[in-house]
């Protein structure tokens, strides 16, 4: 649905519908979509033998006509020698496509791989394929009466091979509960009743069942299952309360006794949030402030009937309000996990994380005692320039350990970059492993023989594959060692020469932005007074030295790009959509306003209770900096954001209407007072508006006083000041910021005679990330920007 209005408010007509005015933008965006992305990689012992190893790389490529992605695998052999060059890395001749795969999970030894194909409807079976070298070892069809789709959402998702590779634990939807047929109970067996037969064609709709909100609409409770590789038998794990949604399962170490029961550790979420007074499930997607615990439970025994009184799952982390991403050390003596307790306690949907450890007792099941939780890395409140700012990591790779067994590696935000960190779990020492020679972002994919496989990307360079190894060969590998990195040429990562030539002319830099002067009567934390950052990207390579005089006529127009959350972060990584805007000739300014991840907990917490004010001021301070340095033409500035970024975009065109030529908002929060009653995260509304008091103020029936505060922090409170044309992109299935929130703001603008264009994506949720929708969204954004600021 496209709708354009200008001048006086009027009914839409055929003249209101516009299409992109040039094929050039579409061709450029197509070229960018053709670039494959590296999604995952697994390092496994080499099938060629020797001390080298293989890396299986999973890549994807957008298939726009099918509105889907193609996933394909390729394998590269990594020689043992640390002095290997690009020519020493041997790739398989061709990649091969894995069609219809929901999850691909190799076994620990690399000798087998599990491919899961989820059903297309609620009555079809789930297909589990176990492949060995050159052949299909077993195919298991799991009927819908056993379970539904396997979770592959990146949060509840959990698939784990047992140590002996004879069993696989995973998370799937509980089976469909049969619905009653109207009139059946009225007829006894053998009774013939025409009225009953006719009524029996009607099926009851059943009771309403809550789900976990955005992206989980219609998804049933996540439950643990175990599949036996040899027999194909699939059994549900017993002993888990129906109140618990299970996920992120891993096998516990093999028991000391050969006859001892095998067991599992998993993450469990209660249906009712312990930190908010509500009897409901609050939205889970992107929400790390949902209390969760690690649980320990016995695995089902093959060929044994379910017991009448199964042993109940044991809560291992009762004293910690958040525990997730469990991983056992190679020797099975340590269990580490991440925690978002800072988010749970403050109510912020995301915050600085911590890392913890449990010394794992092999006889835990027998003695029934609760283990002691040790702190390894605590929350960092604030950090000096260049120092470790805290952990911002939300999952660990399947095997995150170096060969010493006590050094763990993970990816984490470090201000505006993503870096790879090593953590000595004995001492708690944290070291930066990824190269500090560039401003690019790094992502850990896997480890083998204490070699690191990672991707590296930047705003001007798509992801590339890199290998890291200790520069001190032969010495014990500890986190503080120097690491040597080398690029691995990926034959599949080829893109059009014109794209490559344009990227070579692009440049980017990190800008340090001083916060606006604070109210002298307001008490500020140390972290909230420290500089924040903005990423400035230039399409022409002409990032001007600060000593030169500005020449307005030669400066590309500027797009201020704002991330959502608000407790998220824009990173120096590659985005095809951002690259598209740069290639159209726009400077980009990604502002990591205070409240963003990666800058310490005090800076993050400073935004709670100050949204619509502090974040707005920070964006304007960043804009003032680039204009003052001659890096932007003040007459040609646009603002673009989604979700909370859309909240900021609409705030800025209302609070600073003379600073922007146009605004663009994707699923924006426009009126918090109307959103609170229909969103899946009403707690977000309270915490961001009232700060930590929102935890205690939260109510399912907001008072008139609360609604007034929620309205005053909203962009709609400033709508009478808006005077620039605006573009809105809305997902009709959005449960996070329901589409009505954007439409209310749009209609208010139309009533004031403002020019508005609205594009609605009927099947999209909050992210608007289905391939065709994503493409159409940014194609329209590009054309809109060319119309108003180029």
């Amino acid at each position: 649905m496209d709708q354009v209005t200008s001048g006086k408010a009027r009914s839409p007509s055929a003249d209101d519908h516009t299409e992109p005015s040039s094929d050039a933008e579409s061709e450029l965006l197509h070229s960018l979509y053709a670039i494959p992305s590296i999604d995952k990689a697994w390092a496994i012992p080499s099938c060629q033998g020797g001390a080298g190893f293989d890396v299986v790389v999973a890549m994807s490529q957008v298939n726009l006509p099918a509105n889907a992605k193609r996933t394909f695998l390729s394998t590269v052999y990594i020689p043992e020698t640390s002095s290997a060059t690009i020519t020493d890395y041997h790739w398989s001749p061709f990649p091969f496509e894995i069609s219809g795969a929901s999850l691909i999970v190799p076994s620990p030894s690399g000798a087998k791989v599990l491919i899961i194909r989820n059903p297309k409807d609620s009555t079809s079976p789930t297909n589990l394929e176990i492949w060995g070298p050159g052949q299909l070892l077993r195919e298991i069809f799991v009927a819908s009466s056993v379970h539904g789709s396997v979770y592959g959402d990146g949060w509840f998702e959990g698939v784990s091979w047992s140590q002996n590779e004879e069993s696989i634990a995973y998370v799937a939807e509980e089976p469909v509960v049969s619905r009653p047929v109207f009139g059946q109970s009225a007829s006894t067996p053998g009774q013939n009743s025409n009225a009953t037969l006719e009524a029996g064609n009607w099926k009851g709709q059943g009771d309403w069942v809550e789900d976990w909100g955005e992206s989980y609409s219609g998804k049933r409770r996540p439950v643990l299952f175990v599949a036996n590789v040899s027999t194909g038998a699939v059994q549900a794990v017993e002993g888990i309360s129906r109140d618990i949604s299970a996920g992120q399962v891993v096998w516990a170490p093999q028991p000391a006794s050969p006859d001892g029961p095998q067991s599992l550790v998993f993450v469990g979420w209660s249906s009712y949030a312990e930190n908010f007074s509500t009897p409901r499930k609050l939205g889970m997607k992107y929400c790390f402030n949902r209390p969760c615990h690690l649980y320990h439970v016995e695995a089902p025994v093959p060929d044994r009937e379910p017991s009448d009184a199964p042993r109940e799952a044991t809560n291992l982390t009762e004293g910690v309000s958040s525990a997730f991403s469990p991983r056992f050390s190679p020797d099975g003596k340590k269990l580490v996990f991440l925690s978002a307790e800072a988010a749970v306690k403050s109510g912020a949907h995301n915050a600085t994380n911590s890392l913890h450890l449990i010394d794992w007792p092999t006889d835990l099941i027998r003695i029934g005692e609760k283990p002691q939780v040790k702190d390894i890395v605590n929350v960092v409140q604030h950090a000096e320039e260049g120092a470790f700012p805290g952990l911002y990591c939300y999952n660990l790779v399947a095997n995150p350990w170096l060969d010493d067994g006590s050094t763990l590696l993970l990816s984490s935000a470090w201000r505006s970059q993503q870096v790879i960190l090593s953590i000595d779990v004995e001492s708690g020492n944290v070291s930066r492993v990824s190269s500090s020679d560039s401003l690019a972002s790094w992502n850990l994919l896997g480890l083998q023989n204490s070699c690191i496989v990672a991707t590296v990307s930047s705003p001007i360079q798509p992801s590339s594959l890199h290998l890291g190894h200790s520069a001190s060969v032969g010495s014990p590998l500890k986190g503080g060692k120097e690491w040597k990195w080398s690029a691995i040429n990926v034959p599949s990562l080829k893109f059009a020469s014109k794209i490559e030539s344009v990227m070579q002319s692009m440049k980017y830099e990190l800008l340090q932005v001083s916060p606006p002067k604070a109210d002298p009567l307001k008490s500020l934390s140390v972290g909230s007074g420290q500089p924040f950052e903005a990423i400035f990207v230039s399409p022409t390579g002409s990032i001007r030295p600060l000593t030169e005089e500005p020449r307005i006529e030669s400066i590309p127009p500027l797009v201020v790009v704002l991330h959502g959350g608000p407790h998220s972060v824009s990173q120096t990584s590659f985005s095809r959509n951002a690259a598209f805007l740069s290639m159209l000739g726009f400077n980009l300014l990604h502002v990591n306003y205070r409240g963003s991840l990666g800058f310490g907990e005090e800076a993050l917490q400073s935004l709670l209770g100050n949204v619509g004010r502090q974040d707005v001021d920070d964006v304007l301070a960043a804009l003032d900096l680039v204009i003052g340095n001659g890096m932007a033409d003040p007459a040609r500035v646009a603002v673009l954001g989604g979700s909370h970024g859309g909240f900021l975009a609409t705030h800025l065109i209302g609070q600073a209407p003379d600073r922007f030529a146009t605004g663009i908002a994707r699923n924006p929060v426009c009126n918090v007072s109307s959103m609170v009653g229909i969103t899946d995260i009403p707690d977000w509304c309270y915490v961001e508006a009232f700060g930590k008091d929102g935890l205690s103020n939260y109510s399912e029936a907001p008072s008139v006083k609360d609604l007034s505060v929620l309205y005053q922090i909203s962009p709609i409170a400033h709508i009478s000041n808006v005077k620039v044309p605006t573009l809105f992109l809305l997902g009709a299935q959005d449960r996070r910021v329901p589409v009505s929130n954007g439409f209310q703001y749009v209609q208010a603008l139309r009533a004031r005679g403002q020019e508005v264009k609205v594009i609605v994506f009927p099947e999209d949720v909050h992210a608007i990330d289905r391939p065709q929708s994503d493409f159409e969204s940014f194609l329209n954004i590009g054309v809109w920007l060319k119309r108003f600021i180029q």
Side-chain angles (χ1 to χ4, degrees), residues 104 157 161 331 357 401 423 463 505 588 613 616 733 741:
I104 304 169
E157 174 188 334
W161 288 80
D331 62 6
L357 178 146
W401 302 93
I423 300 172
S463 291
S505 68
L588 304 182
R613 296 184 294 272
V616 168
Q733 306 304 317
N741 206 257

Side-chain angles (χ1 to χ4, degrees), residues 404-423:
D404 64 6
S406 64
T407 304
L408 175 145
L409 268 61
L410 52 78
S411 304
S412 179
W414 186 303
R415 299 178 72 83
S416 298
Q417 294 177 262
Q418 181 166 274
V419 301
I420 300 175
L421 301 175
S422 70
I423 300 172

Side-chain angles (χ1 to χ4, degrees), residues 141-408:
F141 292 95
V142 187
S144 59
S145 58
V146 177
H147 67 63
S149 294
V150 175
Y151 272 85
D153 62 335
W155 189 234
F156 288 117
E157 174 188 334
V159 179
S160 179
W161 288 80
S162 62
Q163 289 90 338
N164 59 13
E165 301 188 358
E166 293 179 358
S167 300
I168 301 169
Y170 58 93
V171 183
E173 292 181 86
E174 64 182 348
V176 176
V177 177
S178 60
R179 293 175 175 176
V181 176
F182 178 79
Q184 270 189 346
S185 60
S187 177
T188 58
Q191 182 181 5
N192 185 8
S193 169
N194 290 333
T196 300
L197 290 174
E198 182 179 353
N201 292 326
W202 289 30
K203 289 189 176 181
Q205 295 304 300
D207 294 333
W208 169 62
V209 178
E210 278 190 307
D211 55 36
W212 286 107
E214 173 71 16
S215 296
Y216 293 108
S217 295
K219 295 283 285 186
R220 299 185 297 279
R221 183 173 70 102
V223 176
L224 299 188
F225 294 87
V226 172
N228 185 281
V229 174
S230 299
T231 66
V234 174
Q235 296 173 276
V237 176
E238 297 181 278
I240 302 174
S241 166
R242 283 201 57 82
D243 176 54
I244 297 297
S245 291
Q248 303 184 18
V249 62
V250 294
W251 288 90
Q254 197 81 16
S257 169
D259 299 325
Q262 289 192 300
S263 59
L264 302 164
V265 170
F266 67 94
V267 182
W269 291 263
S270 170
S271 298
Y272 310 111
E274 302 163 10
N275 52 343
F276 289 94
S277 300
T278 179
R280 66 182 286 184
K281 288 181 178 178
L282 296 169
M284 181 67 71
K285 185 82 170 179
Y286 310 122
C287 299
F288 299 94
N289 62 342
R290 306 296 176 231
C292 55
H293 299 278
L294 296 189
Y295 291 85
H296 182 227
V297 67
E298 286 189 28
V301 177
D303 303 322
R304 188 185 73 180
E305 291 297 322
S307 59
D308 294 331
R311 185 187 295 271
E312 291 187 5
T314 302
N315 186 338
L316 300 174
T317 57
E318 286 184 348
V320 181
S321 60
S322 171
F324 58 93
S325 200
R327 297 291 185 271
F328 282 97
S329 60
D331 62 6
K333 295 181 179 179
K334 306 180 190 74
L335 172 63
V336 297
F337 62 90
L338 294 164
S339 174
E341 195 162 27
V344 173
K345 289 182 177 179
S346 67
H349 278 68
N350 211 342
T352 312
N353 288 344
S354 52
L355 181 71
H356 306 270
L357 178 146
I358 292 173
D359 288 322
W360 188 256
T362 55
D363 55 354
L364 183 70
I365 294 178
R366 182 178 61 79
I367 62 177
E369 293 181 0
K370 301 294 175 64
Q372 179 184 359
V373 175
K374 300 178 181 179
D375 300 337
I376 304 301
V377 179
N378 292 314
V379 170
V380 174
Q381 295 300 321
H382 63 266
E384 299 303 321
E385 184 178 356
F388 171 59
L391 275 184
Y392 302 91
C393 174
Y394 303 99
N395 69 291
L396 302 173
V397 297
N399 174 26
W401 302 93
L402 294 181
D403 282 352
D404 64 6
S406 64
T407 304
L408 175 145

Side-chain angles (χ1 to χ4, degrees), residues 735-753:
R735 293 181 60 184
R736 183 60 39 96
V737 186
V739 68
S740 59
N741 206 257
F743 269 125
Q744 181 191 18
Y745 192 88
V746 165
Q747 301 293 20
L749 286 177
R750 294 180 66 208
R752 288 164 173 76

Side-chain angles (χ1 to χ4, degrees), residues 546-588:
L546 303 187
T547 56
E548 291 183 8
E549 288 297 322
R551 289 169 45 209
I552 295 297
E553 66 276 8
S554 64
I555 301 173
L558 178 71
V559 182
V560 179
V561 185
L562 304 173
H563 67 71
H567 310 299
S568 179
V569 62
S570 293
Q571 294 182 326
T572 56
S573 53
F574 183 74
S575 159
R576 65 165 62 93
N577 291 325
F580 169 66
L581 299 181
S582 292
M583 291 180 185
L584 290 180
F586 300 109
N587 281 340
L588 304 182

